[in-house]
Structures are given as structure tokens and as C-alpha cells.
């Protein structure tokens, strides 16, 4: 019996809770050596951020669905053109951030993510996160989400490349990106990230758009 089809859909408010749970699982799996957080508490905090700060005009998020269940998510952001104005809602997100800061271990995670923060250049669409439910690993969900990201870049004349950071200690993810033609553009070694998240070395990888396709 064949598996139910997987579809990629834009983010909607009703997906905030399952996406926050996916992100909590992903963060704890990657940074468990430094983070001492309860998964439910982390998911609750991330959901608050998604509720207060939904994707704006220069941020994109989609989910992978199978039989109505969210099994994966990808987030991206890009720099607006000079003649465009950012109308994101920063202030409403502050209560959620303050609430997170009162939770044990959350300061370390937020500080680590802020240290890893990447500011996109013109034409660059940066993948902020990619998470797949543990039960669906190695089933092509990540590839489907990255394919959606490539299509989004190809459809926007102002964008010409995808980029992301991957921990050097995650060769499996790196191999996936390399199979999709991402190339390492820079290697970063940050002591602060090692102290905060337990990951010192990070590779910055880029996928250049050629014509209207991502190759």
C-alpha cells in the first residue's frame, strides 16, 4: 500500500501549534548538549512567537502536510527592495519575548539564535529553519520543502539564490544540501555559539539560481 501523498501549503494560523512543536523537537535534537528545556515549554514559547509575529511581507513559511497532519516546515526571509517598506509587527512580539525570557534555559536559546542571525543581501533568500517530524525523516519531506523554496525563488525576479547555515557536526543535512547543488561559501567558527548552543563550526551554503530554475 502506497503512502498518502504529501502536499506543500503556505503557513496558516492554525498550523502555529504543530509547527512550534516541530521546531521545538528540532532545536532540542540539535542543541541538547547545551539546552535544558522541556519540549512542551519550548513549544509553547515558540507558538507564542508565531502568534505574535506572523510571517511578514519579506518572510515566507510553508508546511508539509500528509493526511492533514503537519509533518514538516520551512521558513525563509529576504531583504526588501530599496523602494519597499517593511511593515512587520515588531512591537506585538515583545510580550512573547519577555514571557520566554522568564523561562529557564530560554535565554540561552534566544541568545544563540540571535548570534546565528543572518542578514540577507539583495537577491538572497535565506532559509531560517527546516524541520521534519522524526517519524518522517529520510522520506523525502526535507527535499520537497527545499524544492518549494527553490520554486519560490525562481518565481521572484528580485531573488537569485538560496542560502542557509548548517552545523558542521550534521553531515547528513550537509549531504542533502550538496545533492541539491548547494555549495559551501564560507566556514565559520564561533566560540560564542559553542558556549550557547554547543555548536562551534557552521557552514554557510548557497544555491545559485540559473535562468528560472534552481540548480
Amino acid at each position: 500500500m502506497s503512502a498518502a501523498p504529501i502536499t506543500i501549503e503556505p503557513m496558516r494560523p492554525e498550523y502555529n501549534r504543530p509547527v512550534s512543536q516541530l521546531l521545538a523537537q528540532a532545536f532540542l535534537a540539535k542543541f541538547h548538549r547545551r539546552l535544558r528545556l522541556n519540549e512542551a515549554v519550548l513549544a509553547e514559547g515558540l507558538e507564542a512567537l508565531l502568534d505574535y509575529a506572523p510571517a511578514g511581507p519579506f518572510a515566507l513559511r510553508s508546511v508539509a502536510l500528509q493526511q492533514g497532519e503537519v509533518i514538516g516546515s520551512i521558513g525563509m526571509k529576504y531583504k526588501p527592495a530599496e523602494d519597499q517598506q517593511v511593515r512587520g509587527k515588531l512591537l506585538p512580539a515583545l510580550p512573547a519575548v519577555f514571557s520566554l525570557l522568564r523561562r529557564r534555559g530560554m535565554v540561552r536559546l534566544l541568545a544563540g539564535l540571535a548570534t546565528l542571525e543572518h542578514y540577507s543581501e539583495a537577491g538572497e533568500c535565506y532559509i531560517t529553519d527546516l524541520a521534519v517530524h522524526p517519524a518522517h525523516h529520510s522520506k523525502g519531506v526535507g527535499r520537497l520543502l527545499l524544492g518549494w523554496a527553490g520554486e519560490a525563488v525562481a518565481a521572484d525576479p528580485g531573488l537569485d539564490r538560496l542560502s542557509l547555515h548548517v552545523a558542521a557536526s550534521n553531515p547528513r543535512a550537509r549531504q542533502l544540501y550538496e545533492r541539491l547543488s548547494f555549495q559551501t561559501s564560507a566556514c565559520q567558527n564561533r566560540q560564542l555559539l559553542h558556549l550557547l548552543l554547543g555548536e562551534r563550526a557552521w557552514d554557510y551554503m548557497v544555491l545559485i539560481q540559473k535562468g528560472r530554475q534552481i540548480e
Side-chain angles (χ1 to χ4, degrees), residues 17 38 41 53 57 65 96 101 135 157-158 166-168 181 193-194 198 205 213:
R17 176 159 297 177
N38 177 276
V41 170
L65 298 175
L101 292 178
V166 60
S181 298
L193 281 173
H194 176 65
M205 304 185 75
Q213 300 293 325

Side-chain angles (χ1 to χ4, degrees), residues 54-135:
F58 308 110
L60 304 171
R61 180 174 294 279
S62 279
V63 297
L65 298 175
Q66 188 174 54
Q67 295 183 315
E69 177 188 1
V70 176
I71 62 173
S73 174
I74 188 171
M76 306 191 304
K77 66 177 183 178
Y78 60 96
K79 182 179 180 179
E82 293 183 359
D83 59 344
Q84 294 176 297
Q85 295 182 358
V86 178
R87 296 184 176 88
K89 299 180 179 179
L90 245 279
L91 290 179
L94 292 181
V97 172
F98 292 147
S99 176
L100 290 178
L101 292 178
R102 292 197 297 267
R103 302 176 189 271
R104 180 181 178 184
M106 196 66 73
V107 173
R108 181 185 292 272
L109 174 61
L110 292 178
L113 295 179
T115 303
L116 193 59
E117 176 76 1
H118 177 78
Y119 297 94
S120 303
E121 298 179 352
E124 175 187 13
C125 190
Y126 180 75
I127 297 175
T128 57
D129 56 81
L130 174 62
V132 176
H133 191 284

Side-chain angles (χ1 to χ4, degrees), residues 151-166:
E151 292 173 2
V153 170
D156 190 326
L159 300 175
D160 59 21
R161 61 195 181 278
L162 271 174
S163 63
L164 53 84
H165 277 95
V166 60

Side-chain angles (χ1 to χ4, degrees), residues 9-39:
E9 295 187 8
M11 183 68 174
R12 299 205 300 259
E14 57 263 38
Y15 298 146
N16 284 358
R17 176 159 297 177
V19 167
S20 67
Q21 292 170 344
L22 284 179
L23 292 175
Q25 292 170 349
F27 286 143
L28 292 178
K30 292 177 182 176
F31 309 131
H32 65 277
R33 289 176 293 179
R34 286 288 188 273
L35 300 181
R36 296 180 179 178
L37 288 167
N38 177 276
E39 183 179 313

Side-chain angles (χ1 to χ4, degrees), residues 6 39 48 56 73 81 109 113 137 146-147 159 175 177 182 189 193 207:
I6 298 172
E39 183 179 313
S73 174
L109 174 61
L113 295 179
H137 286 177
L146 289 166
L159 300 175
Q175 289 169 5
Y177 302 139
F182 279 85
N189 197 309
L193 281 173
L207 177 62

